[in-house]
Amino acid sequence: MSASQIARELERAQKAKTEAEKKTGEYRTLESQKRMAAEKALESAGKTTSDSTRRMRISEHGRRLKEAQDAGKKATQWQKKASDAAKKVSDLTTRLTKAQSDEAAKAEKKRAAEHEKAMAELKREQAALKARVVETGNSVVALEQRLPAPIAEKLRILVLTSDPKGTLPGERGLRLGREQKRISQAVKSATHRDWVEFDFRTAATPEDLLDGLTEFSPHVLHFSGHSNEEIILFEEDQDGSNPGRAISPTTLSRALAAVDNPPSLVVLNSCKSAGQLDTLTKWGIPFVVGMLDSIGDTDAIVFSARFYATIANGQSLASAVATGQVALEMAGLPGSELPVLAHAGDVDPSNLFLVKSPEGEIGNQS
């Protein structure tokens, strides 16, 4: 029986004891009153001279005495009940004390077990956190190896444009030549224009991608064309209309990882390409820029021109993305929230300067 159950039974026993003691007192009082009445009747019988009155008083004496005896018996019965109840109260009080002690001991044992379990869980979490820190540290080391110290060479940007006739549903032809022209003009006006080199490959096929990576060894890969969350669309190597060839972000990542010096930055200036950024960064591409949703021709052109102009002026990658977004907003275009920047590991795009000082030092990171 639990302590709470014993406590309720003890409460009932205490009430029964109190009630029995009350009844005992009432019947003892009644017994005393009846005996006094019997004595008065007997005394009155001794004083009267009337035989009839004497007999009546003697009869009353007998009745009152009998009532006193009955009240005495009732008092004795209730006194026994009070005694039994008192014994039960004492027994239940002892049991309640023990039950409360036992339950307190069990609660303390449970609390100690829960504390031990919580400490074990905390140790496991700390071990897992330590493992993640080590893993992150290893990733950062690996990423730092991917981002060598600046060297005196031009920033190489491979630009692939693709606009097959069979574009993705809901998309139309693109003004890719216009984008190429605007990018070139923007960089030509930049402070460090002599330290930026482009390789433009139009109507780009998957083979152009591989050739560009191995022949040009770009620091930056820029793709303009059609895409969605799952593919980018290259062209087929054939004349006339073609449906294009879909390349998944995993395949693109494998192509980039296959070369000895993969790009440090990939820019997917195409619709809904932000859905591919996680895959590219998981494959170790340090920095990736993509679009959250469909982006119009004019928006894409304005963003690209300002993005590369900012880089060629010696600003950081984070600044280039932010400046490109502001340029869209200032032009009154709706796509200012579309360009997003993702990065792998614990690297800071605000510390990535693709073009360095006028003295000529450029590279992949400050």
Side-chain angles (χ1 to χ4, degrees):
M1 187 179 293
S2 68
S4 59
Q5 291 173 319
I6 295 174
R8 288 193 292 272
E9 188 172 343
L10 174 59
E11 183 180 359
R12 290 192 292 269
Q14 288 172 332
K15 288 182 178 179
K17 175 176 173 291
T18 300
E19 178 66 16
E21 289 173 344
K22 179 182 178 182
K23 288 291 186 180
T24 298
E26 291 175 351
Y27 279 109
R28 288 301 182 195
T29 299
L30 181 61
E31 178 187 14
S32 178
Q33 290 173 346
K34 296 299 182 182
R35 288 189 184 280
M36 288 178 63
E39 288 176 1
K40 287 182 180 180
L42 184 60
E43 183 180 355
S44 177
K47 291 180 179 181
T48 185
T49 57
S50 171
D51 289 339
S52 60
T53 301
R54 184 182 300 109
R55 285 194 298 272
M56 184 179 66
R57 295 302 182 195
I58 291 174
S59 176
E60 181 183 354
H61 167 73
R63 288 197 311 274
R64 300 304 183 198
L65 191 60
K66 176 68 169 55
E67 289 173 350
Q69 290 173 345
D70 290 341
K73 289 180 180 179
K74 290 286 186 180
T76 300
Q77 290 173 352
W78 279 108
Q79 187 173 4
K80 185 177 185 306
K81 289 182 180 180
S83 177
D84 291 342
K87 185 175 181 302
K88 187 173 183 179
V89 166
S90 177
D91 178 61
L92 288 172
T93 301
T94 302
R95 289 173 59 190
L96 178 60
T97 301
K98 185 176 184 305
Q100 288 174 334
S101 177
D102 290 345
E103 289 183 3
K106 288 181 181 178
E108 176 60 23
K109 185 176 180 180
K110 181 179 179 182
R111 188 201 64 78
E114 290 176 347
H115 176 72
E116 184 177 352
K117 182 179 178 181
M119 291 302 295
E121 181 64 25
L122 178 61
K123 288 180 180 179
R124 284 194 293 272
E125 291 178 356
Q126 290 175 336
L129 178 60
K130 183 177 180 180
R132 288 197 297 272
V133 170
V134 171
E135 181 181 357
T136 301
N138 292 338
S139 298
V140 172
V141 170
L143 195 56
E144 288 174 348
Q145 293 173 351
R146 291 288 308 281
L147 300 173
I151 59 175
E153 64 175 342
K154 291 183 178 183
L155 175 69
R156 294 185 296 275
I157 303 173
L158 174 62
V159 179
L160 303 177
T161 61
S162 173
D163 188 20
K165 300 301 180 182
T167 55
L168 295 175
E171 294 194 349
R172 52 185 175 78
L174 304 175
R175 295 184 295 165
L176 299 176
R178 177 65 175 165
E179 181 180 10
Q180 177 180 334
K181 181 179 179 181
R182 286 287 302 276
I183 291 174
S184 298
Q185 289 174 340
V187 172
K188 283 181 180 179
S189 301
T191 305
H192 308 316
R193 55 186 175 274
D194 295 333
W195 290 97
V196 180
E197 182 180 359
F198 286 99
D199 183 352
F200 291 99
R201 304 199 178 201
T202 59
T205 66
E207 289 73 21
D208 288 321
L209 167 65
L210 297 177
D211 289 342
L213 291 174
T214 55
E215 295 170 3
F216 190 57
S217 190
H219 304 107
V220 179
L221 171 65
H222 179 101
F223 174 83
S224 290
H226 300 284
S227 68
N228 57 28
E229 297 90 341
E230 300 176 351
I231 64 164
I232 59 175
L233 197 61
F234 284 88
E235 296 197 24
E236 293 281 5
D237 189 12
Q238 65 184 54
D239 295 331
S241 177
N242 69 88
R245 195 185 310 176
I247 300 297
S248 71
T250 299
T251 300
L252 176 60
S253 300
R254 293 182 61 187
L256 298 174
V259 298
D260 292 331
N261 296 301
S264 298
L265 169 64
V266 172
V267 179
L268 300 179
N269 195 23
S270 53
C271 296
K272 302 180 181 179
S273 53
Q276 304 188 33
L277 303 192
D278 283 347
T279 301
L280 290 164
T281 55
K282 285 178 181 177
W283 272 82
I285 304 303
F287 301 94
V288 189
V289 175
M291 302 298 159
L292 287 172
D293 207 337
S294 298
I295 184 167
D297 272 0
T298 302
D299 301 68
I301 292 169
V302 169
F303 174 77
S304 292
R306 179 53 53 188
F307 177 80
Y308 288 109
T310 304
I311 287 175
N313 277 310
Q315 299 294 306
S316 69
L317 175 59
S319 174
V321 174
T323 305
Q325 292 171 329
V326 172
L328 290 171
E329 186 175 344
M330 286 183 170
L333 296 171
S336 61
E337 301 299 324
L338 296 181
V340 292
L341 170 63
H343 56 86
D346 188 17
V347 291
D348 187 354
S350 64
N351 290 330
L352 178 69
F353 297 86
L354 293 166
V355 178
K356 295 296 286 185
S357 65
E359 289 73 23
E361 281 199 347
I362 72 162
N364 297 58
Q365 186 174 337
S366 61

